[in-house]
Amino acid sequence: MVEKFGPLKFLDKYTRTSVAAWALDDLVVSRVRAAAPGSSVRRIPYTREELRSGGHQKQNPFFYRAAADVKGFVQFLAPKIRCDRYVVVHRHGGTQREYGIGISQYPYGGPVHLFAMMFIRVYDGQTLELTKEAPALMTDDTYIERMTHNFLGGPSTQLDRAMFPEKPADVVNNPVLREGVRTMLTKSLDKTLPSLLQQPAQTPSR
């Protein structure tokens, strides 16, 4: 997302641009694999059409719950590959106007932020019930850390205003933005995934 904020919210401008060349999906799979040593980790493929329609539950738009939509999508994809657990890493909104992965610019000479805010949900492979969930953060979720490092509600880096792209299409070929996002994703997933994927200790049989 390329987000240019106006002085009033209704003046905000949001543009999507493809960064498929950054291979972020492959990066996520590699971090899940690193956080679950000894487990076979596979990526479940899906098409753009399946992402748009698969498993979407009819929800009241005034009481929409992303968690229900994500669970429906997991139930839709699960028959493709039977697994002990399903791990979903998806875009997440922070405490400000930023959402998911992108770059934002505030008005009147305000800051430019590069951000990568994701949420992790783990589902039981048999019941497809949610077992663990957490936002992907690079630091501990404490008040001090929120004020000093996570003031957008997730991983972010303040950049020079000159780094804001003149055209959204310029994003994909910008090495600073690419490496910044990949670094934040790697650090936040490596910080958050291990505790979510840790298996309970087995009690020795007598």
Side-chain angles (χ1 to χ4, degrees):
M1 295 293 296
V2 178
E3 305 176 353
K4 192 168 186 178
F5 300 140
L8 299 173
K9 193 169 183 179
F10 73 90
L11 296 174
D12 293 351
K13 295 180 180 179
Y14 298 87
T15 307
R16 294 182 182 274
T17 187
S18 173
V19 290
W22 292 2
L24 300 183
D25 288 343
D26 292 335
L27 185 152
V28 170
V29 173
S30 73
R31 301 335 302 156
V32 174
R33 186 172 287 122
S39 299
S40 174
V41 175
R42 291 179 288 175
R43 177 181 172 187
I44 300 180
Y46 55 84
T47 65
R48 187 179 296 246
E49 290 70 26
E50 288 174 327
L51 179 61
R52 287 196 183 118
S53 61
H56 284 195
Q57 300 182 6
K58 292 182 179 179
Q59 299 188 53
N60 187 322
F62 298 104
F63 299 98
Y64 174 79
R65 292 183 302 130
D69 217 26
V70 173
K71 181 179 179 180
F73 191 60
V74 172
Q75 292 171 327
F76 175 76
L77 287 182
K80 282 191 171 186
I81 301 178
R82 293 294 183 182
C83 299
D84 293 330
R85 290 179 291 175
Y86 295 95
V87 181
V88 182
V89 180
H90 61 90
R91 293 176 299 161
H92 177 59
T95 56
Q96 307 301 319
R97 286 182 275 184
E98 287 82 1
Y99 182 88
I101 295 174
I103 187 170
S104 63
Q105 182 189 69
Y106 285 78
Y108 305 125
V112 166
H113 294 291
L114 185 69
F115 54 91
M117 296 186 286
M118 309 298 285
F119 200 88
I120 305 167
R121 288 186 164 95
V122 182
Y123 295 86
D124 180 89
Q126 298 299 317
T127 65
L128 297 182
E129 291 300 316
L130 180 69
T131 58
K132 293 183 180 181
E133 63 179 344
L137 299 176
M138 295 191 295
T139 63
D140 293 331
D141 189 18
T142 64
Y143 177 78
I144 293 177
E145 290 296 337
R146 285 196 295 271
M147 293 298 100
T148 56
H149 295 100
N150 294 322
F151 45 89
L152 295 185
S156 66
T157 302
Q158 187 169 332
L159 302 177
D160 187 277
R161 282 183 64 86
M163 292 302 300
F164 193 81
E166 292 186 11
K167 296 181 294 183
D170 294 339
V171 169
V172 67
N173 294 319
N174 188 312
V176 174
L177 302 186
R178 176 184 181 275
E179 290 310 309
V181 165
R182 288 181 62 88
T183 296
M184 285 188 287
L185 265 183
T186 299
K187 288 183 176 180
S188 62
L189 294 176
D190 286 354
K191 172 73 175 176
T192 311
L193 278 168
S195 62
L196 297 181
L197 299 183
Q198 184 177 13
Q199 295 279 32
Q202 298 261 336
T203 303
S205 58
R206 293 176 179 265

